[in-house]
Amino acid sequence: MRVDGADPVQGREGIGEMEAFKDSEGKVVVEDLIRCIRENREYLSEVDGLIGDGDHGINMSKGFTLCGKELEGKDVGLCEGLQVLGTVLLTEIGGSMGPLYGSFFRGMAKACRGKELIDGQVMGEMLQAAEEKVSALGNAKVGDKTLMDALVPAVEAYRESMAAGKDMSESLAAMKEAAAKGRDSTKDLVAKVGRAARLGERSRGVLDAGATSCALILGAMADSVNRLLGRQ
C-alpha cells in the first residue's frame, strides 16, 4: 500500500507517498514463513545430512509448525506473530538453530514493537536487529560457512538499496538476491565453526544448512511483504 507523506527512509520531503503496510495485516508474513519451512522440510534435512546430523529440516519444521498452531485462530499482527515465532523456536527446538532463529525473530519483533505501519525504515531496523541478535550469540562471520553468509550480505544489500533511493519493494528484492548468492557461496567454503568444522576440507562442496534456511526465510519474507504492498 502507499501512504501519503514524506519518505522517512530517504529523507526526501515532498515525495508524496511511501511504501508501507499495516502491522495488523502482517500475520500473513509469519504464515508464509511457516508454510515455506514446512514445504522445505525434507530439502533442508537433505542439505544438512551431507555434513551434519540431517535434522535441520525436521527441527525447523517442528518449531514453525508449533508456531502455526499457537497462532491459529488468533488476531495478531506482524510484531506479535514474530514474537511468538521467536519464542517457540527458542524454547521448543534443539541444537544451535533454536537459539539463533529464536533470537533472530525476537529481535525483529522488538524492532517493530509499537509501530502501526511498517515502512522501509522500520523493515531495515528489523533486519538490522535480527543480524545483531544472531551475531551476539557467537563469533561466526561471513566466510565461516554459516547462516551469516546469507544473512549479513542480505541485510547489507537492503541497507545499500534503501540508501541509493530505492523503495522497500526493490530493496527487499535486492535482499532476497543477496541472500541466495550468500547461500550459494557456502558451497565452496570450509566450515570453521560448529560441528561441521571438524570435517575440515571434507565440508567443502556442499551448501551450509543454516545459510540455506536463512535464504529461504528472507526470500519468503520478501515475497510476502511485496504481496502486501501490492507488488506481486
Side-chain angles (χ1 to χ4, degrees), residues 133-193:
K133 289 293 186 181
V134 173
S135 297
L137 290 180
N139 57 359
K141 58 185 183 298
V142 173
D144 287 345
K145 200 180 181 87
T146 70
L147 68 85
M148 299 298 284
D149 289 292
L151 178 58
V152 173
V155 176
E156 182 177 357
Y158 181 91
R159 183 167 53 244
E160 290 180 349
S161 179
M162 292 295 292
K166 305 294 184 180
D167 60 26
M168 175 159 56
S169 180
E170 294 171 307
S171 299
L172 286 169
M175 175 192 76
K176 179 179 178 180
E177 181 180 1
K181 289 181 178 179
R183 172 202 63 207
D184 293 344
S185 75
T186 63
K187 188 170 185 178
D188 296 323
L189 297 175
V190 173
K192 297 179 182 178
V193 298

Side-chain angles (χ1 to χ4, degrees), residues 47-54 145 189-208:
V47 171
D48 188 39
L50 296 175
I51 56 174
D53 295 334
K145 200 180 181 87
L189 297 175
V190 173
K192 297 179 182 178
V193 298
R195 292 185 178 183
R198 69 184 187 275
L199 299 176
E201 280 293 331
R202 287 181 294 164
S203 66
R204 194 190 300 273
V206 299
L207 296 174
D208 175 70

